[in-house]
Amino acid sequence: MTALASEPDIDVMKQVNRQFVTGVTVVTTMDGQTPRGLAVNAFSSISLDPATVMVCVQRTSSTHDCLFRAGHLAINILSTDQLDVVGTFAGKADDKFKDVAWESGPFGSPLLSRSSAQMEVEIRERLQASTHTVFICRVVHAAVTELPPMVYSTGKFFDGGALAPLG
């Protein structure tokens, strides 16, 4: 008789996920005339040709609905110079853009100053996956700077430009 597999405990899953090194992004869009955004670590490149990426956003996020309605959004890959920015966008403040420098991308999405890299994307698909929406997006604008990226692992932020190579 085969034992039935049980779902892992949520605390174990949090520990497992903390072992995976991720980049740190802030996803932004315009809600009418108001810029909106949130910190997101569930971002990935899907394809280089055509340039396609995905981001996952929890449906209970206060930013989710305006992202869901949007045609475009920006993915700002944060630099090591933006620890203040990640704190702001991970929080629940009403005006997260109050003390953050940004400019409009070619399609109007907020591009955050001091980022390591930025993309503005056109949302092509919105897939429902449990508690999240997966946004599949075509990249329509991209820029990169010399600033090293911030990375996240084991509950802490690190300098992505100072990682020691193996071998």
Side-chain angles (χ1 to χ4, degrees), residues 122-144:
E122 178 185 12
I123 301 170
R124 293 290 181 96
E125 295 181 63
R126 296 160 181 85
L127 309 172
Q128 300 309 306
S130 187
T131 58
H132 287 64
T133 298
V134 180
F135 294 90
I136 308 295
C137 308
R138 179 85 172 265
V139 179
V140 293
H141 169 76
V144 66

Side-chain angles (χ1 to χ4, degrees), residues 36-157:
R36 303 272 185 219
L38 75 161
V40 172
N41 71 346
F43 156 78
S44 182
S45 173
I46 296 175
S47 171
L48 292 175
D49 188 18
T52 306
V53 298
M54 62 166 248
V55 293
C56 303
V57 177
Q58 191 168 10
R59 289 200 309 262
T60 58
S61 163
S62 61
T63 308
H64 176 272
D65 290 349
C66 68
L67 284 168
F68 198 86
R69 292 188 303 267
H72 292 84
L73 58 85
I75 301 162
N76 300 274
I77 298 174
L78 298 192
S79 73
T80 55
D81 191 34
Q82 293 177 296
L83 201 52
D84 60 322
V85 173
V86 73
T88 297
F89 283 89
K92 304 267 186 215
D94 288 334
D95 186 0
K96 296 178 183 177
F97 286 82
K98 184 175 118 181
D99 297 318
V100 175
W102 63 279
E103 62 184 36
S104 292
F107 294 87
S109 303
L111 300 175
L112 303 183
S113 301
R114 301 184 292 146
S115 293
S116 181
Q118 306 158 323
M119 285 178 271
E120 193 169 18
V121 301
E122 178 185 12
I123 301 170
R124 293 290 181 96
E125 295 181 63
R126 296 160 181 85
L127 309 172
Q128 300 309 306
S130 187
T131 58
H132 287 64
T133 298
V134 180
F135 294 90
I136 308 295
C137 308
R138 179 85 172 265
V139 179
V140 293
H141 169 76
V144 66
T145 71
E146 296 294 322
L147 297 169
M150 182 187 313
V151 296
Y152 180 81
S153 180
T154 61
K156 299 178 194 106
F157 297 102

